[in-house]
Coordinates of all heavy atoms in Angstrom, one line a residue:
I8 N 12.2 1.3 -10.0 CA 13.5 1.2 -9.3 C 13.8 2.6 -8.9 O 13.7 3.5 -9.7 CB 14.5 0.6 -10.3 CG1 14.1 -0.8 -10.8 CG2 15.9 0.6 -9.6 CD1 14.1 -1.9 -9.7
M9 N 14.3 2.7 -7.7 CA 14.7 4.0 -7.2 C 16.1 4.0 -6.5 O 16.3 3.2 -5.6 CB 13.7 4.5 -6.2 CG 14.0 5.8 -5.5 SD 12.6 6.5 -4.6 CE 12.5 5.3 -3.2
V10 N 17.0 4.8 -7.0 CA 18.3 4.9 -6.3 C 18.1 5.9 -5.2 O 17.6 7.0 -5.4 CB 19.4 5.4 -7.3 CG1 20.8 5.5 -6.5 CG2 19.5 4.6 -8.5
K11 N 18.4 5.4 -4.0 CA 18.1 6.2 -2.8 C 19.2 7.3 -2.6 O 20.2 7.3 -3.3 CB 18.0 5.2 -1.6 CG 16.9 4.2 -1.7 CD 16.9 3.3 -0.5 CE 15.7 2.2 -0.7 NZ 15.7 1.3 0.5
P12 N 19.0 8.2 -1.7 CA 19.9 9.4 -1.6 C 21.4 9.0 -1.4 O 22.2 9.7 -2.0 CB 19.4 10.1 -0.3 CG 17.9 9.9 -0.3 CD 17.8 8.4 -0.8
D13 N 21.7 8.0 -0.6 CA 23.1 7.6 -0.5 C 23.7 7.1 -1.8 O 24.9 7.3 -2.0 CB 23.3 6.7 0.7 CG 22.6 5.4 0.5 OD1 21.4 5.4 0.1 OD2 23.1 4.3 0.9
G14 N 22.9 6.4 -2.6 CA 23.4 5.9 -3.8 C 23.7 7.0 -4.8 O 24.7 6.9 -5.5
V15 N 22.9 8.1 -4.8 CA 23.1 9.2 -5.6 C 24.4 10.0 -5.1 O 25.3 10.3 -5.9 CB 21.9 10.2 -5.6 CG1 22.2 11.5 -6.4 CG2 20.7 9.5 -6.1
Q16 N 24.4 10.2 -3.8 CA 25.6 10.9 -3.2 C 26.9 10.2 -3.4 O 27.9 10.8 -3.6 CB 25.3 11.2 -1.7 CG 24.4 12.3 -1.4 CD 23.7 12.2 0.0 OE1 24.1 11.5 0.9 NE2 22.6 13.0 0.1
R17 N 26.9 8.9 -3.4 CA 28.1 8.1 -3.5 C 28.5 7.9 -5.0 O 29.5 7.2 -5.3 CB 27.9 6.7 -2.8 CG 27.9 6.8 -1.3 CD 27.5 5.5 -0.6 NE 28.5 4.5 -1.0 CZ 28.3 3.2 -1.0 NH1 27.1 2.7 -0.6 NH2 29.2 2.3 -1.3
G18 N 27.7 8.4 -5.9 CA 28.1 8.3 -7.3 C 27.8 6.9 -7.9 O 28.6 6.5 -8.8
L19 N 26.7 6.2 -7.4 CA 26.5 4.9 -7.9 C 25.3 4.8 -8.9 O 24.9 3.6 -9.2 CB 26.2 4.0 -6.6 CG 27.4 3.9 -5.7 CD1 27.0 3.1 -4.4 CD2 28.6 3.2 -6.3
V20 N 24.8 5.9 -9.3 CA 23.7 5.9 -10.3 C 24.0 5.1 -11.6 O 23.3 4.2 -12.0 CB 23.2 7.3 -10.6 CG1 22.1 7.2 -11.7 CG2 22.6 8.0 -9.3
I23 N 24.4 1.3 -11.1 CA 23.1 0.7 -10.8 C 22.3 0.6 -12.2 O 21.8 -0.5 -12.5 CB 22.3 1.4 -9.7 CG1 23.0 1.2 -8.4 CG2 20.9 0.9 -9.7 CD1 22.5 2.1 -7.3
H50 N 4.7 5.9 0.4 CA 5.5 4.8 -0.2 C 5.8 3.7 0.9 O 5.7 2.5 0.5 CB 6.8 5.4 -0.7 CG 7.7 4.4 -1.4 ND1 7.3 3.7 -2.5 CD2 8.9 4.0 -1.1 CE1 8.3 2.9 -2.9 NE2 9.3 3.0 -2.0
Y51 N 6.1 4.1 2.1 CA 6.5 3.2 3.1 C 5.4 3.0 4.2 O 5.7 2.6 5.3 CB 7.8 3.6 3.8 CG 9.0 3.4 2.9 CD1 9.9 4.5 2.6 CD2 9.4 2.1 2.5 CE1 11.0 4.3 1.8 CE2 10.5 1.9 1.7 CZ 11.3 3.0 1.3 OH 12.4 2.8 0.6
L63 N 13.7 6.2 8.5 CA 13.5 5.8 7.1 C 13.0 7.0 6.3 O 13.5 7.2 5.2 CB 12.5 4.6 7.1 CG 12.1 4.0 5.7 CD1 13.4 3.5 4.9 CD2 11.1 2.9 5.8
Y66 N 15.7 9.6 6.0 CA 16.7 9.1 5.1 C 16.3 9.3 3.6 O 17.0 9.9 2.8 CB 17.0 7.6 5.3 CG 17.7 6.8 4.2 CD1 19.0 7.2 3.8 CD2 17.1 5.7 3.7 CE1 19.6 6.4 2.8 CE2 17.7 5.0 2.7 CZ 18.9 5.3 2.3 OH 19.6 4.6 1.3
I67 N 15.1 8.9 3.3 CA 14.7 8.9 1.9 C 14.4 10.3 1.4 O 14.4 10.6 0.2 CB 13.4 8.0 1.7 CG1 13.5 7.3 0.4 CG2 12.1 8.6 2.0 CD1 14.5 6.2 0.2
T68 N 14.2 11.2 2.3 CA 14.0 12.6 2.0 C 15.2 13.5 2.2 O 15.2 14.7 2.0 CB 12.8 13.3 2.8 OG1 13.1 13.2 4.2 CG2 11.5 12.6 2.5
S69 N 16.4 12.9 2.5 CA 17.6 13.6 2.8 C 18.3 14.2 1.6 O 19.2 15.0 1.8 CB 18.5 12.7 3.6 OG 19.0 11.7 2.8
G70 N 18.0 13.8 0.4 CA 18.6 14.3 -0.8 C 17.9 13.7 -2.0 O 17.0 12.9 -1.8
P71 N 18.3 14.1 -3.2 CA 17.6 13.7 -4.4 C 17.7 12.1 -4.5 O 18.8 11.6 -4.2 CB 18.3 14.4 -5.5 CG 19.6 15.0 -5.0 CD 19.4 15.1 -3.5
V72 N 16.7 11.6 -5.1 CA 16.7 10.2 -5.5 C 16.6 10.1 -7.0 O 16.2 11.1 -7.7 CB 15.5 9.4 -4.9 CG1 15.6 9.3 -3.4 CG2 14.1 10.0 -5.3
V73 N 16.9 9.0 -7.6 CA 16.7 8.8 -9.1 C 15.6 7.8 -9.3 O 15.7 6.6 -8.8 CB 18.0 8.4 -9.8 CG1 17.7 7.9 -11.2 CG2 19.0 9.5 -9.7
C74 N 14.5 8.2 -9.9 CA 13.3 7.4 -10.1 C 13.3 6.8 -11.5 O 13.6 7.6 -12.4 CB 12.0 8.3 -10.0 SG 11.9 9.3 -8.5
M75 N 13.1 5.5 -11.6 CA 13.2 4.9 -12.9 C 12.0 3.9 -13.1 O 11.6 3.2 -12.1 CB 14.5 4.1 -13.1 CG 15.7 5.0 -13.1 SD 17.2 4.0 -13.2 CE 17.5 3.6 -11.5
I90 N 19.0 -6.8 -7.1 CA 19.1 -5.9 -6.0 C 19.7 -6.6 -4.7 O 20.6 -6.1 -4.1 CB 17.8 -5.2 -5.6 CG1 17.5 -4.1 -6.7 CG2 17.9 -4.5 -4.3 CD1 16.1 -3.5 -6.7
T93 N 17.3 -7.3 1.7 CA 17.1 -6.0 2.4 C 18.4 -5.6 3.2 O 18.8 -4.4 3.2 CB 15.9 -6.0 3.2 OG1 14.8 -6.4 2.4 CG2 15.6 -4.7 3.9
R104 N 23.1 -4.7 -3.6 CA 23.3 -4.4 -2.2 C 24.5 -5.2 -1.7 O 25.3 -4.8 -0.8 CB 22.1 -4.7 -1.4 CG 20.9 -3.7 -1.6 CD 19.6 -4.2 -1.0 NE 18.6 -3.2 -1.1 CZ 17.3 -3.5 -0.9 NH1 16.9 -4.7 -0.7 NH2 16.4 -2.5 -1.0
E110 N 24.6 -1.3 5.2 CA 23.6 -1.0 6.2 C 22.2 -1.2 5.7 O 21.9 -0.6 4.6 CB 23.8 0.4 6.7 CG 24.9 0.7 7.7 CD 24.8 2.1 8.2 OE1 23.8 2.6 8.7 OE2 25.8 2.9 7.9
T111 N 21.3 -1.8 6.4 CA 19.9 -1.9 6.0 C 19.3 -0.5 5.9 O 18.6 -0.3 4.9 CB 19.1 -2.7 7.1 OG1 19.7 -4.0 7.3 CG2 17.7 -2.8 6.7
G112 N 19.7 0.4 6.7 CA 19.1 1.7 6.7 C 19.7 2.6 5.6 O 19.3 3.7 5.4
R113 N 20.7 2.1 4.8 CA 21.3 2.8 3.7 C 21.6 1.7 2.6 O 22.8 1.6 2.2 CB 22.7 3.4 4.1 CG 22.5 4.5 5.1 CD 23.8 5.3 5.4 NE 23.5 6.4 6.3 CZ 23.0 7.6 6.0 NH1 22.8 7.9 4.7 NH2 22.7 8.5 6.9
N114 N 20.5 1.1 2.1 CA 20.7 0.0 1.2 C 20.6 0.4 -0.3 O 20.4 -0.4 -1.1 CB 19.9 -1.2 1.6 CG 18.4 -0.9 1.5 OD1 17.9 0.1 1.0 ND2 17.6 -1.9 2.0
I115 N 20.7 1.7 -0.5 CA 21.0 2.3 -1.8 C 20.0 2.2 -3.0 O 20.0 3.0 -3.9 CB 22.4 2.1 -2.4 CG1 22.6 0.6 -2.9 CG2 23.5 2.4 -1.4 CD1 23.9 0.5 -3.7
V116 N 19.1 1.2 -2.9 CA 18.2 1.0 -4.0 C 16.9 0.4 -3.6 O 16.9 -0.4 -2.7 CB 18.9 0.3 -5.2 CG1 19.2 -1.1 -4.8 CG2 18.1 0.3 -6.5
H117 N 15.8 0.8 -4.2 CA 14.5 0.2 -4.0 C 14.0 -0.5 -5.3 O 14.3 0.0 -6.4 CB 13.4 1.3 -3.7 CG 12.0 0.8 -3.8 ND1 11.4 0.2 -2.8 CD2 11.1 0.9 -4.9 CE1 10.1 -0.1 -3.2 NE2 10.0 0.3 -4.5
G118 N 13.3 -1.6 -5.2 CA 12.7 -2.3 -6.3 C 11.3 -2.8 -5.9 O 11.1 -3.3 -4.8

Side-chain angles (χ1 to χ4, degrees):
I8 301 294
M9 176 169 69
V10 183
K11 298 179 181 181
D13 59 321
V15 176
Q16 282 157 15
R17 291 173 58 204
L19 297 173
V20 174
I23 292 167
H50 180 65
Y51 286 122
L63 178 60
Y66 163 59
I67 214 72
T68 59
S69 66
V72 296
V73 171
C74 307
M75 295 180 276
I90 288 169
T93 304
R104 288 169 175 166
E110 280 184 61
T111 302
R113 294 189 180 274
N114 63 10
I115 72 172
V116 64
H117 164 84

